[in-house]
Amino acid sequence: MAENCEKCKFRAKYDQKPNSFLGRFWRLHINFCPGWKAYFTNLSEEKKAELREKYNFTKY
């Protein structure tokens, strides 16, 4: 499940158009998605910092 986060189509939509409906939905979704939590918490500290900045993500 978590390995799909790297290739998620909704994440790609966010990267292309953050203000699109699917982009905004994905950004909201990562706040409670168990797959994203598993993916994110298993990353290196450098990658976590990169994603925190890119997605303005502060939860984990």
Side-chain angles (χ1 to χ4, degrees), residues 10-55:
F10 291 149
R11 181 178 176 184
K13 290 289 185 186
Y14 181 89
D15 290 343
Q16 291 171 354
K17 288 181 144 183
N19 292 324
S20 69
F21 175 76
L22 289 176
R24 290 181 294 154
F25 175 79
W26 176 82
R27 180 55 190 84
L28 174 68
H29 173 78
I30 66 173
N31 287 318
F32 57 84
C33 176
W36 176 261
K37 181 179 181 181
Y39 167 74
F40 188 82
T41 56
N42 286 317
L43 294 172
S44 68
E45 288 302 318
E46 295 82 27
K47 187 68 173 170
K48 285 181 187 178
E50 181 183 318
L51 292 179
R52 282 185 182 116
E53 184 176 333
K54 183 176 183 177
Y55 298 126

